Amino acid sequence: MRFRILLMLLAAASAASVQASDPTLSVITPRGIQRGAEHVLTFSGARLKDAEEVLFYEPGFEVVKIEPDEKNANIVRVTIKVAADCPLGEKTAQVRTRTGISDYRTFFVGALPAVAEKEPNTEFSAAQPIEQNVTVEGVVQNEDVDYFVVEAKKGQRLSVEVEGMRFGQTLFDPYIAILDEQRFELSAVDDSPLVRQDAVTSIIVPEDGKYIIEMRESGYGGNGNCRYRLHVGQFPRPTAIYPAGGKAGEEVEFTFIGDAGGPIKQKVTLPNDGSTEMQIFAQDDRGISPSGHVARISVDPNAFETEPNNALAEATVVAFPSAFNGVLSAAGDHDYFKFTAKKGQTYEVECYGRRIRTGIDPVMHIFRVKDGKTLSGNDDSRGPDSYIRFKVPEDGEYAVRIMDHLGRGDTDFIYRIEFQPVTPKLTLGIPRVRRYSQDRQRIYVAKGNRFATIISASRANFGGELVLEDMQLPAGLSLVAGAMPSNLNTMPVMFEAAADAPLNGALVDFRAKLNDESKDISGRFQNRADFVISQPGQSLYVWKDVQRLPIVVIDELPYSIEIVQPKVPIVRDGSMQLKIVAKKKEGWDEQIVVQFPFRPPGIGASSSVKIPKGKSEVLYPLSANKNAAIGNWPVYALGYANVGGNAFCSTQMATLEISEPYIGLTIQRAAVELGQETEIVAEVQVLKDLAAPAKVHLVGLPHKITAEPLEITKDTKELVFKVKTATDSPAGNHKNIFCQIVVTVNSEPITHARVGGTELRVDKPLPKPVAVVPKKAEPKPAAVAAAPKPPVVKRLTRLEKLRLEAKKAAGGAE
């Protein structure tokens, strides 16, 4: 049974989404366009009527005209010119409006003119005639099969490629086949590793005549979102390239493998700009392949396997360091490479197979040659690909073996092994506020207002404090951010727009670096949009990564919020009521929901509080645990309110000071009988100057047990709480008893929420002992009694009390 599929349309968020005022983008149609021409793209989603700009992540596009639909606020039509040299493949765009910026979606650029699928074409005998070298745009409905017929000559190459699942709209697993007029199947493909769940194929036409292309969903499913672009023509359609990469800055001759016409050779000069991969397209006098091949770019030269190398004794000897390239060309093929390495060198050994879109599921092992001992092995640390961190144990010869997990092999089972040095890596992001969502993965700042977010950092192979690099922000915006401490992986960043800032936006290369000028370590923002995900396995089928942060200025809002800067710290094991004040424009009065997103280490807070209609302030409860990080921390509050949908702004960047407590207590345990009184004694440690007496309450006393509050001054050494019980108070050992202390500084409270801790044992009265009548003794002469001395009142220690209780329990006298 097929897994039930959860389609994650990031733009089609529910109406309850907290991002409701932002425009959303669910699809761009047509799903692809031809380069070198002018086209009208329709952006469909929600709240797009005030669209002002389309931001493209890739070059090659010029916006000619933006036309919102007068009758439908949820679509906008954009006329664009596509450059003749625009690279083919997947492209990314999002829409900026006056009130926000949409999430991003993809579309495709191709080389061929488009024709529309026309029904009825569901019968083999009624196939839709098309020319060669066109792209058919169609939709597969449930149980739908689309047939197309082309004329072809003997010896011609006939290639077919479909884009469907890659559109990221729904689970759509395309199947394509090429058949002759007698319905004999010449080629049929479901999934091609080169294009994941989409498919590619090519044949050499055996005879002059008509050939039918079958296009359907692999399980005969379908719906209105199962759009496809079917490329049909004489263009080259290989399935892999060899080698799978090369050295940066050098010219490499690549061989395209898997095309029906045989291998195709093509020379390409690889860039030397720090990039690690590029797309390479097969091209000849009959066209260019619609989808490219991933070519790796590394600092090391290529080394190539030489057969036979199926055993350690036959291992291909290669120079080191270098990138090892090979092909598991037949079932059961194992490839060995032998190299010499020095003790202490450490490498990240990466095997690229599925990541460069070949069919191999590699398993990698490293051996010591002199005794054949296996030093390390890995299967799927990089998804289906393999990874090993290898530290050379001694000078000598070593070998790497590659095989397929299932022992498969084919002419396009190409792989590449790179021995990468262990280098520092830094990646920035924004923590997700909802799973599988792009919500708040973009920055939108209202004119004259502020917007803050949390930036996360993933450090690898280094540590240290991070600072943001200088960057080009949209006009009218400024940025406030401190440093990210070495022991944290998040930091707050605030953007502020001037009151006269123009409405504008940009895709910003948002970067941070190690705060150490002697080391060149930096990294950039990266975001992944999850488009199609399965359940229950949660497999991610379609996604899109981007490396720039959308930042825009939007129309002003009718409200703003501000933190009233505290004049006192929050102490460890303490609490604070942080005051948030709202400024509302006249005539606007909606509830404002306030959140406290960035919490310094050890600080806790409610998920949100609300400023109700008719009110302009709220207290946000904060707490600090006993290990809260001492120091001054930047904090902010984020608010949203209904402004034709929820609209966000933030407070200024305020400072929250975390400090040690002003007072410490050591509280003795106590015991009491029901209906009696006792004392709980606390030794006082005044740790900081007290300008005024501190108020102390005993907290956690059981029902019907009371103690009056006390005060602590700078001279107090001991507190004695008079504890009163009732005859029906709960008996037992009550452990969760502590003190709450409020110190006043600068007319503001510093609440020590939990100081000290003790136990109170409450006993039921013992039964009265049976009196024993003593024997009558002979009277003695009366002695003159001395005048009694007044008794000395002494507070018993805990040990003395326990001894006294033990005597009472035994029926003895004091």
Side-chain angles (χ1 to χ4, degrees), residues 216-232:
R216 60 176 172 84
E217 203 276 333
S218 62
Y220 290 94
N223 57 59
N225 284 322
C226 290
R227 297 181 175 93
Y228 65 84
R229 280 168 44 89
L230 186 70
H231 308 283
V232 180

Side-chain angles (χ1 to χ4, degrees), residues 120-168:
N121 64 342
T122 58
E123 298 294 334
F124 182 85
S125 58
Q128 176 183 339
I130 59 172
E131 300 292 328
Q132 288 200 48
N133 299 317
V134 298
T135 296
V136 182
E137 296 178 337
V139 177
V140 171
Q141 300 290 350
N142 189 37
E143 298 185 353
D144 188 12
V145 180
D146 291 341
Y147 290 102
F148 304 93
V149 58
V150 296
E151 296 274 356
K153 300 291 186 182
K154 180 179 179 179
Q156 285 183 341
R157 176 173 55 208
L158 179 58
S159 299
V160 180
E161 176 178 333
V162 62
E163 296 158 355
M165 177 77 88
R166 284 176 285 173
F167 291 160

Side-chain angles (χ1 to χ4, degrees), residues 672-676 727 763-768:
V672 66
E673 283 188 355
L674 290 174
Q676 303 299 312
T727 56
D763 297 326
K764 294 180 181 180
L766 294 171
K768 294 181 179 180

Side-chain angles (χ1 to χ4, degrees), residues 444-451 496-498 552-557 648-649:
Y444 31 88
V445 193
K447 295 174 62 170
N449 218 315
R450 299 171 289 247
F451 183 88
E496 186 166 7
V552 301
V553 178
I554 63 175
D555 268 337
E556 63 179 318
L557 297 177
F648 283 76
C649 71

Side-chain angles (χ1 to χ4, degrees), residues 282-420:
Q283 187 170 6
D284 61 16
D285 58 353
R286 287 163 291 174
I288 184 172
S289 56
S291 296
H293 301 260
V294 178
R296 291 284 307 165
I297 304 169
S298 64
V299 297
D300 297 322
N302 281 334
F304 302 93
E305 68 153 324
T306 303
E307 294 286 358
N309 64 342
N310 279 23
L312 183 59
E314 301 173 323
T316 299
V317 179
V318 293
F320 189 79
S322 59
F324 308 165
N325 296 271
V327 185
L328 297 181
S329 55
D333 191 7
H334 293 183
D335 287 347
Y336 286 81
F337 297 84
K338 185 166 67 175
F339 60 96
T340 301
K342 296 289 186 180
K343 178 181 180 179
Q345 294 175 323
T346 303
Y347 298 96
E348 293 184 307
V349 188
E350 298 273 4
C351 180
Y352 292 91
R354 203 62 62 85
R355 286 178 288 176
I356 55 174
R357 310 284 178 82
T358 74
I360 185 176
D361 180 1
V363 178
M364 178 168 61
H365 290 87
I366 298 178
F367 303 90
R368 186 165 52 203
V369 171
K370 69 178 183 180
D371 56 7
K373 181 181 178 180
T374 302
L375 300 180
S376 188
N378 183 257
D379 184 2
D380 292 338
S381 281
R382 296 289 193 255
D385 285 349
S386 302
Y387 161 82
I388 295 171
R389 176 171 283 204
F390 176 54
K391 185 175 183 179
V392 181
E394 58 182 288
D395 292 359
E397 291 186 326
Y398 298 88
V400 173
R401 180 185 68 192
I402 294 295
M403 62 183 184
D404 182 76
H405 179 75
L406 298 177
R408 302 166 304 151
D410 209 334
T411 55
D412 59 359
F413 271 43
I414 289 167
Y415 61 86
R416 177 179 174 88
I417 304 169
E418 293 180 6
F419 281 74
Q420 301 171 358

Side-chain angles (χ1 to χ4, degrees), residues 4-177:
R4 180 171 63 88
I5 298 299
L6 171 64
L7 170 64
M8 301 310 299
L9 289 177
L10 300 186
S14 70
S17 168
V18 296
Q19 294 291 109
S21 66
D22 253 0
T24 63
L25 182 59
S26 56
V27 66
I28 302 171
T29 54
R31 298 302 292 121
I33 52 180
Q34 184 184 16
R35 66 181 177 183
E38 186 171 288
H39 302 273
V40 176
L41 289 175
T42 299
F43 291 76
S44 301
R47 297 171 294 279
L48 296 170
K49 65 179 180 180
D50 57 347
E52 291 196 338
E53 185 179 12
V54 177
L55 301 176
F56 294 97
Y57 283 79
E58 297 84 13
F61 304 99
E62 177 188 347
V63 175
V64 177
K65 185 167 49 176
I66 297 177
E67 298 176 289
D69 191 288
E70 294 182 0
K71 298 181 180 180
N72 188 344
N74 297 327
I75 65 172
V76 60
R77 295 178 180 86
V78 181
T79 302
I80 65 170
K81 289 181 180 178
V82 186
D85 60 350
C86 179
L88 303 182
E90 186 179 50
K91 309 300 173 183
T92 316
Q94 54 197 138
V95 179
R96 180 183 66 80
T97 70
R98 296 183 64 87
T99 58
I101 184 168
S102 74
D103 33 14
Y104 61 82
R105 299 298 294 186
T106 61
F107 65 101
F108 283 70
V109 169
L112 304 176
V115 298
E117 176 223 350
K118 295 179 182 178
E119 297 284 356
N121 64 342
T122 58
E123 298 294 334
F124 182 85
S125 58
Q128 176 183 339
I130 59 172
E131 300 292 328
Q132 288 200 48
N133 299 317
V134 298
T135 296
V136 182
E137 296 178 337
V139 177
V140 171
Q141 300 290 350
N142 189 37
E143 298 185 353
D144 188 12
V145 180
D146 291 341
Y147 290 102
F148 304 93
V149 58
V150 296
E151 296 274 356
K153 300 291 186 182
K154 180 179 179 179
Q156 285 183 341
R157 176 173 55 208
L158 179 58
S159 299
V160 180
E161 176 178 333
V162 62
E163 296 158 355
M165 177 77 88
R166 284 176 285 173
F167 291 160
Q169 289 185 261
T170 189
L171 179 72
F172 175 35
D173 188 7
Y175 167 95
I176 57 175

